[in-house]
């Protein structure tokens, strides 16, 4: 029984392992430098404080200041990306159902306060998109079904 002879020496393999490790470390550093972090700046802090005050005034539970800054930043994040897009509206409408799954799912009349948080976010972070979204909300069948 004969064994095959290796084509590379231990030294050659160690050089290759070292180069691969070096390249992975360099690529990791580049990825970390290029990763778009949500920077906590003055505008993001001001808007987060404004949103917290508006939610408090509306009687809603408020997330922490850091959570709001982390999610919405200074531009409203995903909510302001395009709140009037058909997919965004369909996602919102899919949450206004009776809770049944499959063919039993039916739309329901929801409380007026259901969309209040999103309206406040759009009002503070992207007011230019508010009129069209407000029109959409006004067309929804809402009522004071939850009471006080």
């Amino acid at each position: 029984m004969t064994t095959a002879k290796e084509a590379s020496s231990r030294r050659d393999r160690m050089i290759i392992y070292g180069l691969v490790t070096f390249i992975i470390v360099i690529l990791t550093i580049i990825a970390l430098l290029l990763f778009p972090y949500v920077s906590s700046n003055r505008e993001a802090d001001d808007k987060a404080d404004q949103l917290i005050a508006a939610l408090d005034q509306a009687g809603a539970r408020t997330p922490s200041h850091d959570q709001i800054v982390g999610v919405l930043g200074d531009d409203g994040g995903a909510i302001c990306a395009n709140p009037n897009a058909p997919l965004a509206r369909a996602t919102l409408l899919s949450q206004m159902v009776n809770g049944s799954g499959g063919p039993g799912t039916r739309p329901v009349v929801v409380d007026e306060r259901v969309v209040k948080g999103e309206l406040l976010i759009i009002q503070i972070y992207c007011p230019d998109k508010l009129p069209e979204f407000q029109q959409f909300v006004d067309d929804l069948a809402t009522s004071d079904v939850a009471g006080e």
Side-chain angles (χ1 to χ4, degrees):
M1 184 171 193
T2 60
T3 59
K5 186 172 174 146
E6 287 191 36
S8 62
S9 67
R10 177 171 166 75
R11 182 178 178 276
D12 293 339
R13 287 191 307 272
M14 295 309 281
I15 290 173
I16 291 173
Y17 296 153
L19 284 173
V20 169
T21 303
F22 177 75
I23 290 171
I24 289 174
V25 168
I26 293 298
L27 290 176
T28 303
I29 291 171
I30 290 171
L32 288 173
L33 292 175
L34 295 178
F35 188 77
Y37 288 102
V38 176
S39 61
S40 176
N41 59 27
R42 188 78 173 134
E43 185 180 3
D45 289 336
D46 291 344
K47 286 184 177 182
D49 291 336
Q50 191 177 0
L51 179 61
I52 288 171
L55 289 171
D56 277 340
Q57 187 178 13
R61 291 183 301 167
T62 59
S64 73
H65 181 272
D66 292 337
Q67 287 174 326
I68 293 174
V69 170
V71 172
L72 299 175
D74 61 356
D75 63 352
I79 292 177
C80 285
N82 195 352
N84 299 308
L87 182 59
R89 288 184 179 184
T91 302
L92 179 62
L93 291 173
S94 72
Q95 296 172 7
M96 299 179 189
V97 296
N98 62 0
S100 173
T105 302
R106 302 286 185 272
V108 296
V109 175
V110 297
D111 194 274
E112 300 146 343
R113 296 175 290 175
V114 169
V115 292
K116 184 68 175 171
E118 190 166 356
L119 280 169
L120 290 173
I121 292 171
I122 293 172
Q123 179 182 1
I124 293 168
Y125 285 89
C126 48
D128 57 313
K129 298 179 181 179
L130 182 62
E132 188 178 351
F133 189 76
Q134 183 68 55
Q135 178 63 40
F136 168 71
V137 169
D138 291 343
D139 291 342
L140 292 175
T142 61
S143 180
D144 186 17
V145 294
E148 290 298 320

